[in-house]
Amino acid sequence: MALTPSKGAAYARVMGIGAAIPSRVVDNAEMCTYIESSDEWIQQRTGIVERRWVGEGETVESLSLDAARKAIDAAGLTPADIDAVIISTVSHMVQTPSLAAIVAAKLGCADAAAFDIAAACAGFCYGLGQAESLVRSGAATHVVVIGAETLSEITDVHDRSTAFLFADGAGAAVVGPSETPAMGPVVWGSDGDQAEVISMTRPWPQAVEEGKPSHITMAGQQVFRWATGFIADATRRTLEVSGLTADELDLFVPHQANNRITDAMLRHLKLPETVTVARSIKKYGNNSAASIPIALAELIETGEAKSGDTCLMIGFGAGLVYAGQVIIVP
Ligand SMILES: CC(C)(COP(=O)(O)OP(=O)(O)OC[C@H]1O[C@@H](n2cnc3c(N)ncnc32)[C@H](O)[C@@H]1OP(=O)(O)O)[C@@H](O)C(=O)NCCC(=O)NCCS
């Protein structure tokens, strides 16, 4: 008996990126009608000037479709070429079926493998790591990875410790075969001992029983310490395992958690001034799994990121979980 093993591409690459930005602009002045705060405090503590929430008719599904279509188009492919769809989201309020199965069908990716992952703000990089492995193993040829969130629906708008931070959006990437190395190894991990640091106020059955919603809750200072210590170090390791040096890096696209965290990471990493650093949190807020692809899509659109550039990415958040890799910009 001789089983036929799967056989994949020598290397994988990101072929296209797409972003879906929700229509509703919520500036800090509006935010201060919900919580006792100020534009100055929010900007100084986070860098956020305004954030986006879903408007009329926009959902986590519609944002996913929009971002994925743009990414497939940018990759020069059609939905029929896609054989796997991965969506990272914590805002799809139906446990089954997966959002990915629905989105795959609506995109027209007939018979594609489809599954959701829950890796919060690390979700896009978790998905990219999986996509790279699928392409190199031969389990898939073209994978769409989507990070999509409508955190406004699970954030308590009157909670002073979270309301100003979280936002909505979706971003996507197509990963496919490559003849040359174009994605570094994923560096990822988790620390469930810190599960309570970012979590939900109550499980959904309890929410139903008590007639109260379940919302995101966050111990801000603990997140800050973890992100500026352990995660800054994980970011350095991500660059190291890629085989590149800081001098060879063109772009740094960290999860848009908070500008002060990005600043602290930069101090730790000592990246050269020539590296372009994503700061899309200013306009879009922290939209979790969507933040990295949205930030990268914007850098590509403005011409700050060029095809062939090297890009270091790191996502981190509730779990606690993290994932990062270096990619070549398509
Ligand atoms: C959330 C965060 C901005 C809060 O800042 P902080 O300095 O830790 O806030 P604290 O709760 O210690 O409060 C400090 C002061 O700000 C005030 N404050 C807290 N929330 C406020 C708000 N929304 N608006 C205005 N003032 C606020 C407090 O009352 C306190 O005032 P005092 O010094 O007069 O007593 C900060 O902890 C942080 O950036 N954490 C990381 C969160 C993150 O990035 N999460 C995403 C993970 S994916």
Side-chain angles (χ1 to χ4, degrees):
M1 191 176 73
L3 265 179
T4 306
S6 60
K7 191 170 179 300
Y11 307 107
R13 67 184 171 113
V14 173
M15 301 176 67
I17 300 273
I21 311 292
S23 57
R24 185 163 170 225
V25 179
V26 179
D27 62 16
N28 287 343
E30 179 181 341
M31 180 49 58
C32 293
T33 65
Y34 307 128
I35 54 170
E36 195 195 320
S37 191
S38 67
D39 176 44
E40 190 192 359
W41 189 92
I42 297 171
Q43 284 204 43
Q44 193 263 326
R45 297 294 168 124
T46 68
I48 298 172
V49 174
E50 57 189 38
R51 74 270 307 128
R52 294 295 182 108
W53 289 358
V54 279
E56 195 64 31
E58 292 170 332
T59 63
V60 69
E61 180 186 307
S62 72
L63 295 174
S64 297
L65 285 166
D66 187 13
R69 285 189 183 115
K70 288 176 182 162
I72 294 168
D73 200 44
L77 299 173
T78 68
D81 299 316
I82 305 300
D83 50 11
V85 176
I86 304 173
I87 301 188
S88 178
T89 184
V90 298
S91 348
H92 176 54
M93 287 303 135
V94 176
Q95 273 167 294
T96 197
S98 68
L99 180 60
I102 292 163
V103 165
K106 291 197 175 174
L107 285 171
C109 308
D111 202 28
F115 56 98
D116 294 352
I117 56 174
C121 307
F124 180 73
C125 293
Y126 258 75
L128 270 195
Q130 291 176 30
E132 193 254 2
S133 299
L134 293 178
V135 169
R136 293 184 63 205
S137 74
T141 306
H142 296 116
V143 185
V144 178
V145 178
I146 305 168
E149 302 292 0
T150 48
L151 294 185
S152 63
E153 291 169 348
I154 51 170
T155 301
D156 178 357
V157 79
H158 301 294
D159 177 359
R160 241 174 140 226
S161 61
T162 55
F164 56 91
L165 198 60
F166 294 122
D168 305 341
V174 174
V175 177
S178 173
E179 284 171 10
T180 52
M183 296 177 80
V186 65
V187 169
W188 56 357
S190 68
D191 179 8
D193 285 342
Q194 297 197 70
E196 297 302 317
V197 172
I198 310 172
S199 59
M200 300 295 289
T201 45
R202 48 183 71 78
W204 288 109
Q206 190 186 335
V208 170
E209 200 178 305
E210 294 175 2
K212 292 180 185 156
S214 188
H215 287 131
I216 300 176
T217 159
M218 176 180 75
Q221 290 191 4
Q222 267 169 273
V223 177
F224 195 88
R225 275 196 298 275
W226 174 70
T228 55
F230 182 84
I231 294 302
D233 198 50
T235 311
R236 191 184 45 71
R237 281 192 280 127
T238 305
L239 181 61
E240 263 170 30
V241 299
S242 79
L244 300 183
T245 63
D247 288 337
E248 293 169 307
L249 200 61
D250 299 306
L251 308 163
F252 178 42
V253 183
H255 166 45
Q256 300 294 291
N258 183 321
N259 256 346
R260 282 198 309 149
I261 290 177
T262 301
D263 290 340
M265 280 185 173
L266 286 172
R267 284 194 294 276
H268 181 90
L269 292 167
K270 298 188 176 64
L271 297 181
E273 296 270 303
T274 49
V275 175
T276 299
V277 180
R279 299 277 187 182
S280 62
I281 191 169
K282 183 178 174 184
K283 287 197 294 182
Y284 303 133
N286 175 341
N287 41 33
S288 190
S291 89
I292 290 177
I294 284 179
L296 182 54
E298 188 168 69
L299 292 176
I300 291 172
E301 203 179 305
T302 60
E304 288 166 276
K306 294 175 189 60
S307 179
D309 278 357
T310 54
C311 174
L312 171 63
M313 307 185 297
I314 185 92
F316 51 91
L320 296 174
V321 294
Y322 69 97
Q325 57 271 99
V326 173
I327 64 158
I328 304 291
V329 174

PDB file of all heavy atoms in Angstrom, residues 35-38 41 45-46 121 160-161 164-166 198 218 220-221 223-224 255 257-258 260-261 286 316-317, ligand 1:
ATOM      1  N   ILE A  35     -19.008  58.893  27.068  1.00  0.00           N
ATOM      2  CA  ILE A  35     -18.190  58.692  28.275  1.00  0.00           C
ATOM      3  C   ILE A  35     -17.618  60.036  28.736  1.00  0.00           C
ATOM      4  O   ILE A  35     -17.462  60.954  27.931  1.00  0.00           O
ATOM      5  CB  ILE A  35     -17.005  57.707  28.027  1.00  0.00           C
ATOM      6  CG1 ILE A  35     -16.156  58.155  26.824  1.00  0.00           C
ATOM      7  CG2 ILE A  35     -17.480  56.277  27.898  1.00  0.00           C
ATOM      8  CD1 ILE A  35     -14.857  57.399  26.658  1.00  0.00           C
ATOM      9  N   GLU A  36     -17.292  60.084  30.020  1.00  0.00           N
ATOM     10  CA  GLU A  36     -16.641  61.289  30.540  1.00  0.00           C
ATOM     11  C   GLU A  36     -15.172  61.224  30.142  1.00  0.00           C
ATOM     12  O   GLU A  36     -14.398  60.412  30.670  1.00  0.00           O
ATOM     13  CB  GLU A  36     -16.792  61.311  32.066  1.00  0.00           C
ATOM     14  CG  GLU A  36     -16.495  62.668  32.672  1.00  0.00           C
ATOM     15  CD  GLU A  36     -16.288  62.544  34.179  1.00  0.00           C
ATOM     16  OE1 GLU A  36     -17.030  61.766  34.814  1.00  0.00           O
ATOM     17  OE2 GLU A  36     -15.362  63.197  34.681  1.00  0.00           O
ATOM     18  N   SER A  37     -14.791  62.012  29.158  1.00  0.00           N
ATOM     19  CA  SER A  37     -13.427  61.975  28.637  1.00  0.00           C
ATOM     20  C   SER A  37     -13.169  63.267  27.881  1.00  0.00           C
ATOM     21  O   SER A  37     -13.952  64.209  27.975  1.00  0.00           O
ATOM     22  CB  SER A  37     -13.271  60.755  27.704  1.00  0.00           C
ATOM     23  OG  SER A  37     -11.911  60.546  27.397  1.00  0.00           O
ATOM     24  N   SER A  38     -12.066  63.319  27.139  1.00  0.00           N
ATOM     25  CA  SER A  38     -11.798  64.498  26.326  1.00  0.00           C
ATOM     26  C   SER A  38     -11.012  64.080  25.088  1.00  0.00           C
ATOM     27  O   SER A  38     -10.310  63.049  25.104  1.00  0.00           O
ATOM     28  CB  SER A  38     -10.986  65.529  27.117  1.00  0.00           C
ATOM     29  OG  SER A  38      -9.692  65.010  27.365  1.00  0.00           O
ATOM     30  N   TRP A  41      -7.349  63.747  25.991  1.00  0.00           N
ATOM     31  CA  TRP A  41      -6.977  62.531  26.735  1.00  0.00           C
ATOM     32  C   TRP A  41      -6.926  61.339  25.776  1.00  0.00           C
ATOM     33  O   TRP A  41      -5.965  60.566  25.781  1.00  0.00           O
ATOM     34  CB  TRP A  41      -7.982  62.267  27.862  1.00  0.00           C
ATOM     35  CG  TRP A  41      -7.552  61.165  28.807  1.00  0.00           C
ATOM     36  CD1 TRP A  41      -6.848  61.307  29.957  1.00  0.00           C
ATOM     37  CD2 TRP A  41      -7.791  59.744  28.660  1.00  0.00           C
ATOM     38  NE1 TRP A  41      -6.621  60.077  30.541  1.00  0.00           N
ATOM     39  CE2 TRP A  41      -7.195  59.097  29.765  1.00  0.00           C
ATOM     40  CE3 TRP A  41      -8.437  58.967  27.709  1.00  0.00           C
ATOM     41  CZ2 TRP A  41      -7.239  57.713  29.953  1.00  0.00           C
ATOM     42  CZ3 TRP A  41      -8.469  57.578  27.883  1.00  0.00           C
ATOM     43  CH2 TRP A  41      -7.872  56.980  28.999  1.00  0.00           C
ATOM     44  N   ARG A  45      -3.503  59.340  24.996  1.00  0.00           N
ATOM     45  CA  ARG A  45      -3.352  57.962  25.494  1.00  0.00           C
ATOM     46  C   ARG A  45      -3.341  56.909  24.391  1.00  0.00           C
ATOM     47  O   ARG A  45      -2.856  55.796  24.598  1.00  0.00           O
ATOM     48  CB  ARG A  45      -4.492  57.595  26.455  1.00  0.00           C
ATOM     49  CG  ARG A  45      -4.567  58.416  27.718  1.00  0.00           C
ATOM     50  CD  ARG A  45      -3.357  58.168  28.592  1.00  0.00           C
ATOM     51  NE  ARG A  45      -3.316  59.173  29.635  1.00  0.00           N
ATOM     52  CZ  ARG A  45      -3.279  58.919  30.930  1.00  0.00           C
ATOM     53  NH1 ARG A  45      -3.249  57.678  31.344  1.00  0.00           N
ATOM     54  NH2 ARG A  45      -3.250  59.893  31.796  1.00  0.00           N
ATOM     55  N   THR A  46      -3.959  57.223  23.223  1.00  0.00           N
ATOM     56  CA  THR A  46      -4.104  56.172  22.207  1.00  0.00           C
ATOM     57  C   THR A  46      -3.689  56.597  20.803  1.00  0.00           C
ATOM     58  O   THR A  46      -3.395  55.746  19.974  1.00  0.00           O
ATOM     59  CB  THR A  46      -5.581  55.711  22.090  1.00  0.00           C
ATOM     60  OG1 THR A  46      -6.366  56.787  21.544  1.00  0.00           O
ATOM     61  CG2 THR A  46      -6.157  55.315  23.426  1.00  0.00           C
ATOM     62  N   CYS A 121      -7.125  40.028  18.212  1.00  0.00           N
ATOM     63  CA  CYS A 121      -6.327  41.007  17.448  1.00  0.00           C
ATOM     64  C   CYS A 121      -5.104  40.379  16.788  1.00  0.00           C
ATOM     65  O   CYS A 121      -4.430  41.023  15.993  1.00  0.00           O
ATOM     66  CB  CYS A 121      -5.912  42.159  18.354  1.00  0.00           C
ATOM     67  SG  CYS A 121      -7.295  42.916  19.203  1.00  0.00           S
ATOM     68  N   ARG A 160     -15.897  53.630  30.224  1.00  0.00           N
ATOM     69  CA  ARG A 160     -14.771  54.559  30.081  1.00  0.00           C
ATOM     70  C   ARG A 160     -13.447  53.868  29.776  1.00  0.00           C
ATOM     71  O   ARG A 160     -12.489  54.499  29.340  1.00  0.00           O
ATOM     72  CB  ARG A 160     -14.607  55.281  31.417  1.00  0.00           C
ATOM     73  CG  ARG A 160     -14.783  56.756  31.337  1.00  0.00           C
ATOM     74  CD  ARG A 160     -14.730  57.300  32.733  1.00  0.00           C
ATOM     75  NE  ARG A 160     -13.986  58.540  32.705  1.00  0.00           N
ATOM     76  CZ  ARG A 160     -13.045  58.850  33.556  1.00  0.00           C
ATOM     77  NH1 ARG A 160     -12.705  58.015  34.512  1.00  0.00           N
ATOM     78  NH2 ARG A 160     -12.454  60.015  33.486  1.00  0.00           N
ATOM     79  N   SER A 161     -13.369  52.553  30.067  1.00  0.00           N
ATOM     80  CA  SER A 161     -12.084  51.881  29.884  1.00  0.00           C
ATOM     81  C   SER A 161     -11.953  51.194  28.524  1.00  0.00           C
ATOM     82  O   SER A 161     -10.866  50.708  28.182  1.00  0.00           O
ATOM     83  CB  SER A 161     -11.838  50.870  31.020  1.00  0.00           C
ATOM     84  OG  SER A 161     -12.849  49.895  31.011  1.00  0.00           O
ATOM     85  N   PHE A 164     -13.670  54.196  23.913  1.00  0.00           N
ATOM     86  CA  PHE A 164     -12.919  55.084  23.020  1.00  0.00           C
ATOM     87  C   PHE A 164     -11.969  54.339  22.092  1.00  0.00           C
ATOM     88  O   PHE A 164     -11.482  54.883  21.115  1.00  0.00           O
ATOM     89  CB  PHE A 164     -12.110  56.106  23.847  1.00  0.00           C
ATOM     90  CG  PHE A 164     -11.188  55.445  24.841  1.00  0.00           C
ATOM     91  CD1 PHE A 164      -9.890  55.137  24.495  1.00  0.00           C
ATOM     92  CD2 PHE A 164     -11.634  55.099  26.122  1.00  0.00           C
ATOM     93  CE1 PHE A 164      -9.043  54.512  25.396  1.00  0.00           C
ATOM     94  CE2 PHE A 164     -10.798  54.457  27.030  1.00  0.00           C
ATOM     95  CZ  PHE A 164      -9.496  54.165  26.660  1.00  0.00           C
ATOM     96  N   LEU A 165     -11.703  53.048  22.424  1.00  0.00           N
ATOM     97  CA  LEU A 165     -10.641  52.308  21.749  1.00  0.00           C
ATOM     98  C   LEU A 165     -11.128  51.495  20.545  1.00  0.00           C
ATOM     99  O   LEU A 165     -10.531  51.541  19.473  1.00  0.00           O
ATOM    100  CB  LEU A 165      -9.987  51.361  22.773  1.00  0.00           C
ATOM    101  CG  LEU A 165      -8.619  50.789  22.468  1.00  0.00           C
ATOM    102  CD1 LEU A 165      -7.594  51.907  22.299  1.00  0.00           C
ATOM    103  CD2 LEU A 165      -8.191  49.848  23.597  1.00  0.00           C
ATOM    104  N   PHE A 166     -12.229  50.767  20.740  1.00  0.00           N
ATOM    105  CA  PHE A 166     -12.571  49.709  19.779  1.00  0.00           C
ATOM    106  C   PHE A 166     -13.422  50.200  18.607  1.00  0.00           C
ATOM    107  O   PHE A 166     -14.223  51.117  18.746  1.00  0.00           O
ATOM    108  CB  PHE A 166     -13.237  48.553  20.516  1.00  0.00           C
ATOM    109  CG  PHE A 166     -12.291  47.863  21.466  1.00  0.00           C
ATOM    110  CD1 PHE A 166     -12.585  47.763  22.822  1.00  0.00           C
ATOM    111  CD2 PHE A 166     -11.093  47.342  21.009  1.00  0.00           C
ATOM    112  CE1 PHE A 166     -11.702  47.141  23.697  1.00  0.00           C
ATOM    113  CE2 PHE A 166     -10.201  46.720  21.878  1.00  0.00           C
ATOM    114  CZ  PHE A 166     -10.512  46.617  23.228  1.00  0.00           C
ATOM    115  N   ILE A 198      -8.332  40.495  28.790  1.00  0.00           N
ATOM    116  CA  ILE A 198      -9.324  41.023  27.833  1.00  0.00           C
ATOM    117  C   ILE A 198     -10.342  39.908  27.643  1.00  0.00           C
ATOM    118  O   ILE A 198     -10.002  38.847  27.117  1.00  0.00           O
ATOM    119  CB  ILE A 198      -8.707  41.372  26.450  1.00  0.00           C
ATOM    120  CG1 ILE A 198      -7.458  42.249  26.599  1.00  0.00           C
ATOM    121  CG2 ILE A 198      -9.745  42.070  25.562  1.00  0.00           C
ATOM    122  CD1 ILE A 198      -6.692  42.460  25.292  1.00  0.00           C
ATOM    123  N   MET A 218     -11.629  45.045  29.684  1.00  0.00           N
ATOM    124  CA  MET A 218     -10.169  45.044  29.502  1.00  0.00           C
ATOM    125  C   MET A 218      -9.462  45.663  30.708  1.00  0.00           C
ATOM    126  O   MET A 218      -9.865  46.719  31.187  1.00  0.00           O
ATOM    127  CB  MET A 218      -9.838  45.864  28.244  1.00  0.00           C
ATOM    128  CG  MET A 218      -8.358  46.031  27.980  1.00  0.00           C
ATOM    129  SD  MET A 218      -8.058  47.014  26.497  1.00  0.00           S
ATOM    130  CE  MET A 218      -8.429  48.666  27.090  1.00  0.00           C
ATOM    131  N   GLY A 220      -6.627  47.549  31.125  1.00  0.00           N
ATOM    132  CA  GLY A 220      -5.770  48.313  30.216  1.00  0.00           C
ATOM    133  C   GLY A 220      -4.295  48.298  30.581  1.00  0.00           C
ATOM    134  O   GLY A 220      -3.433  48.100  29.711  1.00  0.00           O
ATOM    135  N   GLN A 221      -4.006  48.484  31.858  1.00  0.00           N
ATOM    136  CA  GLN A 221      -2.581  48.581  32.230  1.00  0.00           C
ATOM    137  C   GLN A 221      -1.851  47.252  32.073  1.00  0.00           C
ATOM    138  O   GLN A 221      -0.677  47.227  31.715  1.00  0.00           O
ATOM    139  CB  GLN A 221      -2.455  49.119  33.650  1.00  0.00           C
ATOM    140  CG  GLN A 221      -2.866  50.581  33.697  1.00  0.00           C
ATOM    141  CD  GLN A 221      -2.512  51.246  35.006  1.00  0.00           C
ATOM    142  OE1 GLN A 221      -1.899  50.647  35.873  1.00  0.00           O
ATOM    143  NE2 GLN A 221      -2.909  52.503  35.148  1.00  0.00           N
ATOM    144  N   VAL A 223      -2.608  44.959  29.831  1.00  0.00           N
ATOM    145  CA  VAL A 223      -2.380  44.799  28.387  1.00  0.00           C
ATOM    146  C   VAL A 223      -1.163  45.617  27.984  1.00  0.00           C
ATOM    147  O   VAL A 223      -0.289  45.151  27.248  1.00  0.00           O
ATOM    148  CB  VAL A 223      -3.603  45.281  27.564  1.00  0.00           C
ATOM    149  CG1 VAL A 223      -3.320  45.172  26.067  1.00  0.00           C
ATOM    150  CG2 VAL A 223      -4.842  44.496  27.916  1.00  0.00           C
ATOM    151  N   PHE A 224      -1.103  46.835  28.488  1.00  0.00           N
ATOM    152  CA  PHE A 224      -0.015  47.740  28.131  1.00  0.00           C
ATOM    153  C   PHE A 224       1.346  47.139  28.505  1.00  0.00           C
ATOM    154  O   PHE A 224       2.281  47.131  27.703  1.00  0.00           O
ATOM    155  CB  PHE A 224      -0.229  49.092  28.816  1.00  0.00           C
ATOM    156  CG  PHE A 224       0.627  50.174  28.233  1.00  0.00           C
ATOM    157  CD1 PHE A 224       0.192  50.915  27.144  1.00  0.00           C
ATOM    158  CD2 PHE A 224       1.878  50.444  28.763  1.00  0.00           C
ATOM    159  CE1 PHE A 224       0.990  51.907  26.586  1.00  0.00           C
ATOM    160  CE2 PHE A 224       2.687  51.427  28.218  1.00  0.00           C
ATOM    161  CZ  PHE A 224       2.241  52.164  27.123  1.00  0.00           C
ATOM    162  N   HIS A 255      -0.165  45.548  14.993  1.00  0.00           N
ATOM    163  CA  HIS A 255      -1.594  45.692  15.291  1.00  0.00           C
ATOM    164  C   HIS A 255      -1.829  47.112  15.794  1.00  0.00           C
ATOM    165  O   HIS A 255      -1.080  47.606  16.651  1.00  0.00           O
ATOM    166  CB  HIS A 255      -1.984  44.655  16.345  1.00  0.00           C
ATOM    167  CG  HIS A 255      -3.319  44.922  16.973  1.00  0.00           C
ATOM    168  ND1 HIS A 255      -4.430  45.266  16.237  1.00  0.00           N
ATOM    169  CD2 HIS A 255      -3.720  44.910  18.273  1.00  0.00           C
ATOM    170  CE1 HIS A 255      -5.452  45.449  17.057  1.00  0.00           C
ATOM    171  NE2 HIS A 255      -5.052  45.247  18.299  1.00  0.00           N
ATOM    172  N   ALA A 257      -3.228  48.742  18.041  1.00  0.00           N
ATOM    173  CA  ALA A 257      -3.853  48.636  19.366  1.00  0.00           C
ATOM    174  C   ALA A 257      -3.935  50.010  20.002  1.00  0.00           C
ATOM    175  O   ALA A 257      -4.948  50.380  20.598  1.00  0.00           O
ATOM    176  CB  ALA A 257      -3.046  47.716  20.255  1.00  0.00           C
ATOM    177  N   ASN A 258      -2.840  50.774  19.803  1.00  0.00           N
ATOM    178  CA  ASN A 258      -2.657  51.949  20.620  1.00  0.00           C
ATOM    179  C   ASN A 258      -1.305  52.563  20.220  1.00  0.00           C
ATOM    180  O   ASN A 258      -0.305  51.865  20.198  1.00  0.00           O
ATOM    181  CB  ASN A 258      -2.610  51.424  22.067  1.00  0.00           C
ATOM    182  CG  ASN A 258      -2.497  52.479  23.088  1.00  0.00           C
ATOM    183  OD1 ASN A 258      -1.788  53.464  22.889  1.00  0.00           O
ATOM    184  ND2 ASN A 258      -3.170  52.281  24.191  1.00  0.00           N
ATOM    185  N   ARG A 260       0.697  54.488  21.730  1.00  0.00           N
ATOM    186  CA  ARG A 260       1.736  54.475  22.772  1.00  0.00           C
ATOM    187  C   ARG A 260       2.424  53.113  22.826  1.00  0.00           C
ATOM    188  O   ARG A 260       3.605  53.009  23.134  1.00  0.00           O
ATOM    189  CB  ARG A 260       1.138  54.824  24.140  1.00  0.00           C
ATOM    190  CG  ARG A 260       0.889  56.334  24.301  1.00  0.00           C
ATOM    191  CD  ARG A 260       0.737  56.711  25.757  1.00  0.00           C
ATOM    192  NE  ARG A 260      -0.250  55.856  26.412  1.00  0.00           N
ATOM    193  CZ  ARG A 260      -0.229  55.497  27.688  1.00  0.00           C
ATOM    194  NH1 ARG A 260       0.748  55.908  28.475  1.00  0.00           N
ATOM    195  NH2 ARG A 260      -1.173  54.735  28.193  1.00  0.00           N
ATOM    196  N   ILE A 261       1.667  52.044  22.522  1.00  0.00           N
ATOM    197  CA  ILE A 261       2.274  50.706  22.464  1.00  0.00           C
ATOM    198  C   ILE A 261       3.226  50.646  21.278  1.00  0.00           C
ATOM    199  O   ILE A 261       4.362  50.148  21.393  1.00  0.00           O
ATOM    200  CB  ILE A 261       1.182  49.605  22.379  1.00  0.00           C
ATOM    201  CG1 ILE A 261       0.428  49.519  23.712  1.00  0.00           C
ATOM    202  CG2 ILE A 261       1.791  48.258  22.000  1.00  0.00           C
ATOM    203  CD1 ILE A 261      -0.729  48.523  23.739  1.00  0.00           C
ATOM    204  N   ASN A 286      -9.039  50.969  16.972  1.00  0.00           N
ATOM    205  CA  ASN A 286      -8.525  49.602  17.097  1.00  0.00           C
ATOM    206  C   ASN A 286      -9.606  48.638  16.618  1.00  0.00           C
ATOM    207  O   ASN A 286     -10.559  48.369  17.343  1.00  0.00           O
ATOM    208  CB  ASN A 286      -8.138  49.354  18.561  1.00  0.00           C
ATOM    209  CG  ASN A 286      -7.705  47.913  18.829  1.00  0.00           C
ATOM    210  OD1 ASN A 286      -7.994  47.006  18.057  1.00  0.00           O
ATOM    211  ND2 ASN A 286      -7.024  47.705  19.948  1.00  0.00           N
ATOM    212  N   PHE A 316      -1.590  41.051  18.334  1.00  0.00           N
ATOM    213  CA  PHE A 316      -1.621  40.581  19.726  1.00  0.00           C
ATOM    214  C   PHE A 316      -2.916  41.044  20.372  1.00  0.00           C
ATOM    215  O   PHE A 316      -3.445  42.101  20.044  1.00  0.00           O
ATOM    216  CB  PHE A 316      -0.407  41.130  20.507  1.00  0.00           C
ATOM    217  CG  PHE A 316      -0.235  42.628  20.374  1.00  0.00           C
ATOM    218  CD1 PHE A 316      -0.828  43.495  21.273  1.00  0.00           C
ATOM    219  CD2 PHE A 316       0.489  43.177  19.330  1.00  0.00           C
ATOM    220  CE1 PHE A 316      -0.689  44.875  21.136  1.00  0.00           C
ATOM    221  CE2 PHE A 316       0.631  44.557  19.188  1.00  0.00           C
ATOM    222  CZ  PHE A 316       0.047  45.407  20.098  1.00  0.00           C
ATOM    223  N   GLY A 317      -3.437  40.204  21.276  1.00  0.00           N
ATOM    224  CA  GLY A 317      -4.679  40.601  21.930  1.00  0.00           C
ATOM    225  C   GLY A 317      -5.271  39.511  22.804  1.00  0.00           C
ATOM    226  O   GLY A 317      -4.540  38.658  23.335  1.00  0.00           O
TER     227      GLY A 317
HETATM  228  C1  LIG B   1      -6.633  51.997  28.261  1.00  0.00           C
HETATM  229  C2  LIG B   1      -5.558  52.996  28.675  1.00  0.00           C
HETATM  230  C3  LIG B   1      -5.454  54.085  27.602  1.00  0.00           C
HETATM  231  C4  LIG B   1      -5.979  53.642  29.988  1.00  0.00           C
HETATM  232  O1  LIG B   1      -4.958  54.512  30.421  1.00  0.00           O
HETATM  233  P1  LIG B   1      -4.424  54.393  31.932  1.00  0.00           P
HETATM  234  O2  LIG B   1      -3.419  55.446  32.097  1.00  0.00           O
HETATM  235  O3  LIG B   1      -4.009  52.971  32.157  1.00  0.00           O
HETATM  236  O4  LIG B   1      -5.756  54.716  32.709  1.00  0.00           O
HETATM  237  P2  LIG B   1      -6.083  54.500  34.241  1.00  0.00           P
HETATM  238  O5  LIG B   1      -7.276  53.638  34.336  1.00  0.00           O
HETATM  239  O6  LIG B   1      -4.866  54.137  35.042  1.00  0.00           O
HETATM  240  O7  LIG B   1      -6.471  55.973  34.659  1.00  0.00           O
HETATM  241  C5  LIG B   1      -5.527  57.040  34.652  1.00  0.00           C
HETATM  242  C6  LIG B   1      -6.278  58.337  34.751  1.00  0.00           C
HETATM  243  O8  LIG B   1      -7.031  58.556  33.533  1.00  0.00           O
HETATM  244  C7  LIG B   1      -8.409  58.685  33.855  1.00  0.00           C
HETATM  245  N1  LIG B   1      -9.179  58.026  32.809  1.00  0.00           N
HETATM  246  C8  LIG B   1      -9.427  56.700  32.667  1.00  0.00           C
HETATM  247  N2  LIG B   1     -10.174  56.502  31.578  1.00  0.00           N
HETATM  248  C9  LIG B   1     -10.415  57.712  31.033  1.00  0.00           C
HETATM  249  C10 LIG B   1     -11.107  58.147  29.895  1.00  0.00           C
HETATM  250  N3  LIG B   1     -11.715  57.281  29.070  1.00  0.00           N
HETATM  251  N4  LIG B   1     -11.116  59.458  29.613  1.00  0.00           N
HETATM  252  C11 LIG B   1     -10.500  60.355  30.420  1.00  0.00           C
HETATM  253  N5  LIG B   1      -9.821  60.002  31.512  1.00  0.00           N
HETATM  254  C12 LIG B   1      -9.779  58.691  31.809  1.00  0.00           C
HETATM  255  C13 LIG B   1      -8.592  58.034  35.198  1.00  0.00           C
HETATM  256  O9  LIG B   1      -9.699  58.556  35.870  1.00  0.00           O
HETATM  257  C14 LIG B   1      -7.297  58.379  35.895  1.00  0.00           C
HETATM  258  O10 LIG B   1      -7.356  59.714  36.330  1.00  0.00           O
HETATM  259  P3  LIG B   1      -6.608  60.143  37.709  1.00  0.00           P
HETATM  260  O11 LIG B   1      -5.133  59.969  37.419  1.00  0.00           O
HETATM  261  O12 LIG B   1      -7.009  61.585  37.842  1.00  0.00           O
HETATM  262  O13 LIG B   1      -7.117  59.248  38.767  1.00  0.00           O
HETATM  263  C15 LIG B   1      -4.163  52.303  28.854  1.00  0.00           C
HETATM  264  O14 LIG B   1      -4.209  51.425  29.956  1.00  0.00           O
HETATM  265  C16 LIG B   1      -3.745  51.546  27.647  1.00  0.00           C
HETATM  266  O15 LIG B   1      -3.389  52.136  26.660  1.00  0.00           O
HETATM  267  N6  LIG B   1      -3.774  50.189  27.714  1.00  0.00           N
HETATM  268  C17 LIG B   1      -3.550  49.342  26.578  1.00  0.00           C
HETATM  269  C18 LIG B   1      -4.879  48.985  25.998  1.00  0.00           C
HETATM  270  C19 LIG B   1      -4.815  48.414  24.623  1.00  0.00           C
HETATM  271  O16 LIG B   1      -4.027  48.816  23.805  1.00  0.00           O
HETATM  272  N7  LIG B   1      -5.686  47.455  24.336  1.00  0.00           N
HETATM  273  C20 LIG B   1      -5.789  46.858  23.070  1.00  0.00           C
HETATM  274  C21 LIG B   1      -5.295  45.468  23.148  1.00  0.00           C
HETATM  275  S1  LIG B   1      -5.601  44.641  21.651  1.00  0.00           S
END
